[in-house]
Amino acid sequence: MSRTLPLQASAVETSTGPRRFHVYTLRNMHEIPGLERMSAEERFAMQVVANVLPFRVNEYVINELIDWEQVPDDPIYQLTIPQRDMLAPESFNRMADVLRGDADRAEVQRVAREIRGELNPHPAGQMDLNVPEFEGEKVEGMQHKYRETVLFFPSQGQVCHSYCTFCFRWAQFVGDKELRFASNEADTLIEYLRTHHEVSDLLMTGGDPMVMKTRNLAQYLEPLLAADLDHVQTVRIGTKALTFWPYRFVSDKDADDLLRLLEKLVRAGKHVALMAHYNHPNELATPIAEEAIRRVRATGAEIRAQGPLLNHINNDAGAWATLWRRQVQLGIIPYYMFVERDTGARRYFEVPLARAWDVYRSAMQQVSGLGRTARGPSMSADPGKVEIQGVTEIHGEKVFVLRFIQGRNPDWVQRPFFAQYDPQATWLNQLKPAFGEKEFFFEEEYRRMLAAKQA
Ligand SMILES: *Cc1c(COP(=O)(O)O)cnc(C)c1O
């Protein structure tokens, strides 16, 4: 590693007792140690943004992942602490005025809701298109977009140990009930899976399912061991706990129970994968983070790593190459590099697709084959996951070469298609078909899918 982090606690903690989870939110953000070095104006800006976008960071992240000497450029600081430019200047000023005035709480909330409404809170058809039906009823807390994989949002998992400033699911965390995506129906999930033999993968997500007590997690996962759920071969758990709270796997009260639960699934023949969210090699620099990885891997579960490319955090091929090398060293399989999604604080984090491809390619060139298992840069767009395969010139026209990694129609997967090169474009809906074609090959069918759902 290029630097060492200040270590107040380490794996040693496991022998001196568990570490207490202490979290900072909008209410007590002024108590964060380290912020006293910021100006009053900077602290006010943080507060303005935190009244619109969700804010939550725990003391492990503050004390051991953020290098306060590098603030404000420190990547983990940018990952967790609100910054003025995450809001458009008009929106920022509106909220700042409200907070400076004598507005009551209701007024602050009203303005916050209005600003949030302008931030495309539900990208990629999450609210409608992907929610499956069972016996004629919409199944809340579930998404079934790609044939093989069901996403499930357990209601107790609708929070994280810290929030990422760029989170594409931010709307779930700001308390607007109707924007939420959750379920407390283990039974409905299991029933749904029983009758859907095309589903090979269950992906538990959130929030972060690892905020749940092991006994609650077991409620969802143990039923999968029944004979009539043999077709669900893979259990994936999307989590950032390996970064934000590795104690979950080491010294929390039910850490050992959790590992036993994973082991039980593995022994029963399931492929168990933690889909670990990583953004920067600094997240892998503490002894406790290593210890958590070691313990998870000892259960026979795999760890696959994914995360978006983000301006201000990891917009740098060297950081990605280091991240992938370090992951391989620790036994983690690099899986996806995502494009920052078209929601929330995108204005602050987004990177042009052309730049994303440059970073990806340059990082790939710096690692061995084992680090090259990360696909991307990939956009999780309405029609599917679309990867930028490259930039090239065909018959004198500069183009993006694209392909579906996942598609609403499985038949779209792996078909190359072409868009006019656009150095500024940051998302699929800004791209135009190359070679004078009117639309991309999937668009007509996609429109029909939308119409059918809305009918
Ligand atoms: C990414 C994603 C999945 C999983 O896709 P894989 O390519 O199998 O990892 C499933 N559902 C949705 C909605 C997704 O965005």
mmCIF file of all heavy atoms in Angstrom, residues 385-410:
data_model
loop_
_atom_site.group_PDB
_atom_site.id
_atom_site.type_symbol
_atom_site.label_atom_id
_atom_site.label_comp_id
_atom_site.label_asym_id
_atom_site.label_seq_id
_atom_site.Cartn_x
_atom_site.Cartn_y
_atom_site.Cartn_z
ATOM 1 N N LYS A 385 -27.970 -3.718 -18.665
ATOM 2 C CA LYS A 385 -26.613 -3.277 -18.353
ATOM 3 C C LYS A 385 -25.851 -3.164 -19.666
ATOM 4 O O LYS A 385 -25.694 -4.162 -20.371
ATOM 5 C CB LYS A 385 -25.924 -4.304 -17.451
ATOM 6 C CG LYS A 385 -26.266 -4.182 -15.975
ATOM 7 C CD LYS A 385 -25.332 -5.093 -15.160
ATOM 8 C CE LYS A 385 -25.448 -4.864 -13.683
ATOM 9 N NZ LYS A 385 -26.784 -5.162 -13.130
ATOM 10 N N VAL A 386 -25.394 -1.962 -19.963
ATOM 11 C CA VAL A 386 -24.716 -1.731 -21.236
ATOM 12 C C VAL A 386 -23.256 -1.376 -20.977
ATOM 13 O O VAL A 386 -22.967 -0.445 -20.224
ATOM 14 C CB VAL A 386 -25.398 -0.596 -22.039
ATOM 15 C CG1 VAL A 386 -24.621 -0.291 -23.309
ATOM 16 C CG2 VAL A 386 -26.842 -0.969 -22.363
ATOM 17 N N GLU A 387 -22.381 -2.152 -21.602
ATOM 18 C CA GLU A 387 -20.946 -1.953 -21.407
ATOM 19 C C GLU A 387 -20.340 -1.178 -22.571
ATOM 20 O O GLU A 387 -20.676 -1.422 -23.732
ATOM 21 C CB GLU A 387 -20.256 -3.315 -21.303
ATOM 22 C CG GLU A 387 -18.778 -3.221 -20.992
ATOM 23 C CD GLU A 387 -18.101 -4.570 -21.108
ATOM 24 O OE1 GLU A 387 -18.053 -5.139 -22.217
ATOM 25 O OE2 GLU A 387 -17.626 -5.070 -20.079
ATOM 26 N N ILE A 388 -19.448 -0.268 -22.222
ATOM 27 C CA ILE A 388 -18.680 0.414 -23.263
ATOM 28 C C ILE A 388 -17.475 -0.449 -23.571
ATOM 29 O O ILE A 388 -16.580 -0.611 -22.748
ATOM 30 C CB ILE A 388 -18.205 1.800 -22.794
ATOM 31 C CG1 ILE A 388 -19.419 2.654 -22.429
ATOM 32 C CG2 ILE A 388 -17.367 2.501 -23.860
ATOM 33 C CD1 ILE A 388 -19.207 3.432 -21.178
ATOM 34 N N GLN A 389 -17.494 -1.023 -24.757
ATOM 35 C CA GLN A 389 -16.405 -1.945 -25.120
ATOM 36 C C GLN A 389 -15.212 -1.220 -25.689
ATOM 37 O O GLN A 389 -14.097 -1.726 -25.623
ATOM 38 C CB GLN A 389 -16.925 -2.953 -26.124
ATOM 39 C CG GLN A 389 -17.924 -3.886 -25.506
ATOM 40 C CD GLN A 389 -17.692 -5.294 -25.972
ATOM 41 O OE1 GLN A 389 -18.107 -5.664 -27.066
ATOM 42 N NE2 GLN A 389 -16.986 -6.059 -25.165
ATOM 43 N N GLY A 390 -15.474 -0.042 -26.247
ATOM 44 C CA GLY A 390 -14.334 0.691 -26.774
ATOM 45 C C GLY A 390 -14.750 1.847 -27.659
ATOM 46 O O GLY A 390 -15.932 2.091 -27.874
ATOM 47 N N VAL A 391 -13.730 2.547 -28.108
ATOM 48 C CA VAL A 391 -13.918 3.646 -29.047
ATOM 49 C C VAL A 391 -13.102 3.288 -30.272
ATOM 50 O O VAL A 391 -11.950 2.887 -30.150
ATOM 51 C CB VAL A 391 -13.405 4.977 -28.449
ATOM 52 C CG1 VAL A 391 -13.446 6.095 -29.481
ATOM 53 C CG2 VAL A 391 -14.216 5.349 -27.206
ATOM 54 N N THR A 392 -13.703 3.389 -31.432
ATOM 55 C CA THR A 392 -12.952 3.066 -32.637
ATOM 56 C C THR A 392 -13.517 3.848 -33.821
ATOM 57 O O THR A 392 -14.452 4.635 -33.661
ATOM 58 C CB THR A 392 -12.957 1.544 -32.920
ATOM 59 O OG1 THR A 392 -12.015 1.257 -33.944
ATOM 60 C CG2 THR A 392 -14.330 1.055 -33.333
ATOM 61 N N GLU A 393 -12.924 3.636 -35.000
ATOM 62 C CA GLU A 393 -13.394 4.327 -36.186
ATOM 63 C C GLU A 393 -13.787 3.301 -37.218
ATOM 64 O O GLU A 393 -13.035 2.369 -37.499
ATOM 65 C CB GLU A 393 -12.265 5.218 -36.721
ATOM 66 C CG GLU A 393 -12.765 6.564 -37.206
ATOM 67 C CD GLU A 393 -11.623 7.486 -37.611
ATOM 68 O OE1 GLU A 393 -11.108 8.191 -36.726
ATOM 69 O OE2 GLU A 393 -11.248 7.467 -38.805
ATOM 70 N N ILE A 394 -15.002 3.440 -37.742
ATOM 71 C CA ILE A 394 -15.464 2.509 -38.761
ATOM 72 C C ILE A 394 -15.898 3.324 -39.976
ATOM 73 O O ILE A 394 -16.766 4.185 -39.875
ATOM 74 C CB ILE A 394 -16.631 1.644 -38.230
ATOM 75 C CG1 ILE A 394 -16.144 0.792 -37.041
ATOM 76 C CG2 ILE A 394 -17.187 0.755 -39.336
ATOM 77 C CD1 ILE A 394 -17.195 -0.043 -36.368
ATOM 78 N N HIS A 395 -15.253 3.046 -41.112
ATOM 79 C CA HIS A 395 -15.523 3.814 -42.329
ATOM 80 C C HIS A 395 -15.510 5.313 -42.082
ATOM 81 O O HIS A 395 -16.436 6.026 -42.479
ATOM 82 C CB HIS A 395 -16.868 3.394 -42.961
ATOM 83 C CG HIS A 395 -16.807 2.028 -43.563
ATOM 84 N ND1 HIS A 395 -15.946 1.687 -44.573
ATOM 85 C CD2 HIS A 395 -17.489 0.903 -43.260
ATOM 86 C CE1 HIS A 395 -16.088 0.422 -44.881
ATOM 87 N NE2 HIS A 395 -17.017 -0.083 -44.099
ATOM 88 N N GLY A 396 -14.504 5.764 -41.344
ATOM 89 C CA GLY A 396 -14.344 7.196 -41.148
ATOM 90 C C GLY A 396 -15.216 7.798 -40.052
ATOM 91 O O GLY A 396 -15.114 8.980 -39.760
ATOM 92 N N GLU A 397 -16.091 7.015 -39.435
ATOM 93 C CA GLU A 397 -16.929 7.552 -38.360
ATOM 94 C C GLU A 397 -16.424 7.058 -37.002
ATOM 95 O O GLU A 397 -16.242 5.854 -36.789
ATOM 96 C CB GLU A 397 -18.404 7.138 -38.557
ATOM 97 C CG GLU A 397 -19.324 7.735 -37.501
ATOM 98 C CD GLU A 397 -20.813 7.462 -37.777
ATOM 99 O OE1 GLU A 397 -21.167 7.095 -38.920
ATOM 100 O OE2 GLU A 397 -21.608 7.627 -36.836
ATOM 101 N N LYS A 398 -16.195 8.014 -36.103
ATOM 102 C CA LYS A 398 -15.737 7.654 -34.767
ATOM 103 C C LYS A 398 -16.940 7.184 -33.945
ATOM 104 O O LYS A 398 -17.961 7.878 -33.882
ATOM 105 C CB LYS A 398 -15.069 8.857 -34.094
ATOM 106 C CG LYS A 398 -14.242 8.476 -32.878
ATOM 107 C CD LYS A 398 -13.373 9.642 -32.410
ATOM 108 C CE LYS A 398 -12.535 9.232 -31.202
ATOM 109 N NZ LYS A 398 -11.788 10.338 -30.621
ATOM 110 N N VAL A 399 -16.822 6.002 -33.344
ATOM 111 C CA VAL A 399 -17.984 5.415 -32.654
ATOM 112 C C VAL A 399 -17.605 4.808 -31.304
ATOM 113 O O VAL A 399 -16.445 4.473 -31.057
ATOM 114 C CB VAL A 399 -18.645 4.286 -33.505
ATOM 115 C CG1 VAL A 399 -19.216 4.848 -34.792
ATOM 116 C CG2 VAL A 399 -17.651 3.157 -33.779
ATOM 117 N N PHE A 400 -18.611 4.696 -30.438
ATOM 118 C CA PHE A 400 -18.535 3.831 -29.272
ATOM 119 C C PHE A 400 -19.013 2.440 -29.685
ATOM 120 O O PHE A 400 -20.050 2.312 -30.343
ATOM 121 C CB PHE A 400 -19.484 4.291 -28.159
ATOM 122 C CG PHE A 400 -19.023 5.495 -27.389
ATOM 123 C CD1 PHE A 400 -19.764 6.672 -27.409
ATOM 124 C CD2 PHE A 400 -17.875 5.440 -26.600
ATOM 125 C CE1 PHE A 400 -19.365 7.786 -26.679
ATOM 126 C CE2 PHE A 400 -17.471 6.546 -25.859
ATOM 127 C CZ PHE A 400 -18.212 7.720 -25.904
ATOM 128 N N VAL A 401 -18.263 1.422 -29.269
ATOM 129 C CA VAL A 401 -18.739 0.053 -29.428
ATOM 130 C C VAL A 401 -19.367 -0.348 -28.095
ATOM 131 O O VAL A 401 -18.731 -0.223 -27.048
ATOM 132 C CB VAL A 401 -17.588 -0.913 -29.774
ATOM 133 C CG1 VAL A 401 -18.123 -2.311 -30.055
ATOM 134 C CG2 VAL A 401 -16.773 -0.371 -30.932
ATOM 135 N N LEU A 402 -20.609 -0.788 -28.148
ATOM 136 C CA LEU A 402 -21.348 -1.118 -26.918
ATOM 137 C C LEU A 402 -21.843 -2.556 -26.985
ATOM 138 O O LEU A 402 -21.946 -3.151 -28.063
ATOM 139 C CB LEU A 402 -22.554 -0.178 -26.778
ATOM 140 C CG LEU A 402 -22.264 1.324 -26.865
ATOM 141 C CD1 LEU A 402 -23.552 2.105 -27.119
ATOM 142 C CD2 LEU A 402 -21.599 1.821 -25.587
ATOM 143 N N ARG A 403 -22.156 -3.110 -25.808
ATOM 144 C CA ARG A 403 -22.855 -4.400 -25.795
ATOM 145 C C ARG A 403 -23.675 -4.498 -24.518
ATOM 146 O O ARG A 403 -23.358 -3.869 -23.513
ATOM 147 C CB ARG A 403 -21.874 -5.569 -25.859
ATOM 148 C CG ARG A 403 -21.051 -5.711 -24.604
ATOM 149 C CD ARG A 403 -20.489 -7.131 -24.416
ATOM 150 N NE ARG A 403 -19.572 -7.105 -23.254
ATOM 151 C CZ ARG A 403 -19.163 -8.178 -22.598
ATOM 152 N NH1 ARG A 403 -19.528 -9.365 -22.993
ATOM 153 N NH2 ARG A 403 -18.364 -8.058 -21.554
ATOM 154 N N PHE A 404 -24.725 -5.313 -24.585
ATOM 155 C CA PHE A 404 -25.497 -5.611 -23.384
ATOM 156 C C PHE A 404 -24.793 -6.698 -22.582
ATOM 157 O O PHE A 404 -24.467 -7.757 -23.121
ATOM 158 C CB PHE A 404 -26.896 -6.110 -23.744
ATOM 159 C CG PHE A 404 -27.869 -5.016 -24.052
ATOM 160 C CD1 PHE A 404 -28.122 -4.637 -25.363
ATOM 161 C CD2 PHE A 404 -28.536 -4.365 -23.033
ATOM 162 C CE1 PHE A 404 -29.020 -3.625 -25.644
ATOM 163 C CE2 PHE A 404 -29.436 -3.346 -23.298
ATOM 164 C CZ PHE A 404 -29.681 -2.970 -24.612
ATOM 165 N N ILE A 405 -24.559 -6.435 -21.304
ATOM 166 C CA ILE A 405 -24.111 -7.486 -20.385
ATOM 167 C C ILE A 405 -25.334 -8.200 -19.822
ATOM 168 O O ILE A 405 -25.325 -9.385 -19.545
ATOM 169 C CB ILE A 405 -23.284 -6.868 -19.238
ATOM 170 C CG1 ILE A 405 -21.976 -6.286 -19.773
ATOM 171 C CG2 ILE A 405 -22.997 -7.907 -18.161
ATOM 172 C CD1 ILE A 405 -21.168 -5.563 -18.705
ATOM 173 N N GLN A 406 -26.399 -7.410 -19.628
ATOM 174 C CA GLN A 406 -27.691 -7.934 -19.194
ATOM 175 C C GLN A 406 -28.745 -7.186 -19.992
ATOM 176 O O GLN A 406 -28.578 -5.997 -20.269
ATOM 177 C CB GLN A 406 -27.925 -7.657 -17.704
ATOM 178 C CG GLN A 406 -27.169 -8.543 -16.751
ATOM 179 C CD GLN A 406 -27.780 -9.934 -16.640
ATOM 180 O OE1 GLN A 406 -28.630 -10.327 -17.436
ATOM 181 N NE2 GLN A 406 -27.318 -10.683 -15.662
ATOM 182 N N GLY A 407 -29.839 -7.866 -20.327
ATOM 183 C CA GLY A 407 -30.890 -7.194 -21.059
ATOM 184 C C GLY A 407 -32.257 -7.601 -20.546
ATOM 185 O O GLY A 407 -32.422 -8.716 -20.056
ATOM 186 N N ARG A 408 -33.212 -6.680 -20.669
ATOM 187 C CA ARG A 408 -34.593 -7.047 -20.337
ATOM 188 C C ARG A 408 -35.044 -8.225 -21.183
ATOM 189 O O ARG A 408 -35.817 -9.049 -20.744
ATOM 190 C CB ARG A 408 -35.520 -5.856 -20.585
ATOM 191 C CG ARG A 408 -35.633 -4.963 -19.396
ATOM 192 C CD ARG A 408 -36.674 -3.889 -19.607
ATOM 193 N NE ARG A 408 -36.416 -2.841 -18.640
ATOM 194 C CZ ARG A 408 -36.782 -2.901 -17.354
ATOM 195 N NH1 ARG A 408 -37.452 -3.935 -16.904
ATOM 196 N NH2 ARG A 408 -36.467 -1.940 -16.533
ATOM 197 N N ASN A 409 -34.563 -8.240 -22.422
ATOM 198 C CA ASN A 409 -34.732 -9.431 -23.248
ATOM 199 C C ASN A 409 -33.371 -10.129 -23.304
ATOM 200 O O ASN A 409 -32.400 -9.544 -23.779
ATOM 201 C CB ASN A 409 -35.174 -9.023 -24.655
ATOM 202 C CG ASN A 409 -35.330 -10.226 -25.570
ATOM 203 O OD1 ASN A 409 -34.914 -11.328 -25.218
ATOM 204 N ND2 ASN A 409 -35.930 -10.011 -26.728
ATOM 205 N N PRO A 410 -33.286 -11.365 -22.820
ATOM 206 C CA PRO A 410 -31.994 -12.067 -22.790
ATOM 207 C C PRO A 410 -31.358 -12.161 -24.177
ATOM 208 O O PRO A 410 -30.138 -12.302 -24.298
ATOM 209 C CB PRO A 410 -32.353 -13.456 -22.261
ATOM 210 C CG PRO A 410 -33.649 -13.296 -21.545
ATOM 211 C CD PRO A 410 -34.379 -12.171 -22.239
#
